[in-house]
């Protein structure tokens, strides 16, 4: 089913991955080597097969100039074989207005694990990546008219928000796009590529120890910590337990984490504001602190943060 929430405010920011990948590519180029480009998928030039090694180049960096839809699939998945050809057809019709990137999760375990860290448990699953921001988009197969309508609605909504890439065909890099990556982000990227979330967390913590005001490191650390928490959770069970135990603060915190990785930002914030309002003592403080930690995942001026801060103030006083 299509996601109703097409805003990229609070979507998963892939900027750290992009910066680190660019720095690593520069080192490989200087050393005379280079990563092989991803091979075109059967759908033609607007459909590419993406691997663990080419994701940053083919998806994250490319999304700075053109939207990319990422189709997570597997050979054994029947619904994937229904949705895949529809997406390939629509990508060909779009003729470069957006690109379809196909990820075989069996052949690319790192990307498969990353999908699970976002709270996704089933395929087919499609994410939209725009300007380095990843947004959960489609869960499950659907008929062509419904898929076509969902894609049109997605791009209409993003266009209204003014967040679609707007670079001319001559390719003007975004301001600051060529800035070299900080060593810590290269280190964090290498850890993420290994699936070492603890290593990535330690790398971001070292930057913040040196500069507590580094917003990019704060956001990277918050995302890694969220991924560490949700990787052991069953999304359906977490939501069910939270509904059954409204007074259990830990259940509310777990459910809020699942909602965050699913892109349901307002739901997560509202849940924790409610926990603060109902709670007392240590439970109330735990819910408050967790809500503040989730704010680190979004830009400070995000309207959702402002709304949640006002709700938190009302709940506290």
């Amino acid at each position: 089913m299509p996601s109703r929430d097409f805003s990229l405010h609070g979507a998963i920011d892939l900027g750290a991955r992009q910066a680190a990948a660019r720095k690593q590519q520069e080192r490989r180029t200087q050393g005379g080597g280079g990563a092989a480009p991803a091979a075109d998928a059967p759908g033609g030039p607007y459909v590419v097969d993406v691997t663990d090694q080419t994701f940053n180049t083919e998806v994250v960096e490319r999304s700075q100039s053109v939207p990319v839809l990422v189709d997570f699939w597997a050979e054994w998945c029947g619904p994937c074989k229904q949705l895949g050809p529809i997406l390939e057809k629509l990508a060909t019709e779009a003729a470069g207005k957006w690109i379809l990137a196909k990820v075989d999760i069996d052949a690319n375990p790192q990307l498969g694990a990353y999908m699970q860290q976002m709270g996704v448990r089933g395929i087919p699953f499609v994410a939209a990546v725009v300007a380095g921001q990843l947004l959960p988009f489609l869960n499950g197969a659907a008929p062509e008219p419904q898929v076509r309508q969902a894609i049109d609605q997605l791009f209409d909504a993003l266009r209204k928000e003014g967040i679609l890439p707007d670079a001319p065909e001559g390719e003007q890099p975004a301001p600051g796009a060529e800035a070299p990556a900080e060593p810590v982000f290269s280190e964090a990227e290498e850890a993420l590529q290994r699936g070492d979330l603890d290593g990535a967390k330690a790398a971001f913590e070292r930057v913040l120890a040196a500069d507590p005001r580094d917003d990019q490191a704060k956001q990277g650390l918050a995302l890694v910590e969220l991924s560490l928490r949700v990787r052991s959770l069953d999304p359906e069970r977490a939501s069910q337990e939270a509904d059954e135990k409204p007074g259990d603060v830990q259940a509310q915190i777990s459910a809020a984490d699942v909602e965050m990785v699913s892109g349901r930002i307002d739901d997560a914030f509202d849940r924790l504001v409610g926990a603060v309002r109902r709670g007392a003592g240590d439970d109330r403080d735990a819910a408050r602190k967790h809500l503040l930690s989730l704010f680190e995942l979004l830009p400070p001026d995000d309207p959702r943060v402002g709304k949640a801060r006002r709700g938190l103030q009302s709940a506290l006083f």
Side-chain angles (χ1 to χ4, degrees):
M1 293 295 292
S3 168
R4 298 180 186 176
D5 187 355
F6 296 140
S7 171
L8 285 189
H9 292 297
I12 299 172
D13 190 348
L14 300 176
R17 295 177 64 90
Q18 178 192 18
R22 185 182 294 112
K23 186 66 174 179
Q24 291 171 351
Q25 180 62 35
E26 289 173 358
R27 290 200 299 267
R28 284 194 295 264
T29 302
Q30 292 168 0
D40 283 352
Y46 309 120
V47 182
V48 294
D49 286 319
V50 176
T51 68
D52 288 335
Q53 291 72 35
T54 63
F55 181 83
N56 286 304
T57 300
E58 293 293 331
V59 175
V60 184
E61 293 186 2
R62 180 175 284 192
S63 75
Q64 298 294 342
S65 59
V66 62
V68 181
L69 298 187
V70 185
D71 177 20
F72 293 85
W73 69 283
E75 184 63 32
W76 47 264
C77 171
C80 296
K81 296 179 181 179
Q82 299 173 21
L83 180 62
I86 293 174
L87 292 170
E88 291 175 17
K89 175 184 176 182
L90 297 180
T92 301
E93 289 181 3
K97 293 180 181 177
W98 55 273
I99 300 297
L100 176 64
K102 298 179 69 66
V103 175
D104 181 343
I105 62 171
D106 288 341
N108 299 281
Q110 292 176 5
L111 290 174
Y114 185 68
M115 183 190 74
Q116 292 181 344
Q117 289 164 15
M118 289 188 288
V120 180
R121 292 295 182 267
I123 55 173
F125 168 70
V126 181
V129 182
V130 183
Q133 301 283 323
L134 185 148
L135 173 70
F137 175 44
L138 294 175
N139 288 281
E144 180 180 328
Q146 186 175 346
V147 176
R148 185 186 297 273
Q149 181 183 27
I151 292 174
D152 289 342
Q153 290 175 347
L154 168 68
F155 290 132
D156 284 344
L158 297 181
R159 203 170 290 113
K160 288 177 182 177
E161 292 191 22
I163 50 182
L164 277 178
D166 197 23
E169 290 187 14
E171 307 174 11
Q172 284 286 349
E178 297 303 320
E182 294 291 336
V184 66
F185 293 120
S186 295
E187 184 179 346
E189 166 63 13
E190 290 168 0
L192 289 170
Q193 290 286 358
R194 298 192 305 269
D196 181 9
L197 293 175
D198 291 320
K201 177 182 177 182
F204 286 124
E205 286 176 337
R206 282 195 289 277
V207 167
L208 290 172
D211 182 7
R213 296 173 297 177
D214 191 313
D215 290 335
Q216 191 175 8
K218 286 181 182 178
Q219 192 171 36
L221 178 60
L223 177 58
V224 169
E225 289 180 334
L226 177 63
S227 298
L228 283 167
R229 293 194 300 270
V230 301
R231 67 179 177 181
S232 62
L233 295 175
D234 180 300
E236 291 186 7
R237 184 175 180 180
S239 297
Q240 183 178 356
E241 288 186 354
D243 292 341
E244 293 174 350
K245 305 174 182 177
D248 186 332
V249 170
Q250 187 54 54
Q252 301 306 313
I253 286 174
S254 295
D257 283 346
V258 169
E259 288 165 342
M260 286 295 293
V261 298
S262 300
R264 296 161 56 195
I265 311 300
D266 283 329
D267 290 345
F269 288 171
D270 289 346
R271 179 182 295 279
L272 291 176
V273 168
V276 170
R277 184 174 287 113
R278 293 188 302 269
D282 291 342
D283 284 349
R284 189 186 203 198
D285 195 47
R288 178 187 65 83
K289 288 180 178 178
H290 197 77
L291 178 58
L292 294 177
S293 74
L294 294 185
F295 288 165
E296 298 291 348
L297 287 161
L298 283 71
D301 59 350
D302 189 296
R304 299 177 186 185
V305 173
K307 176 185 174 184
R309 286 191 185 279
R310 291 191 294 272
L312 177 60
Q313 184 176 11
S314 174
L316 288 170
F317 304 104

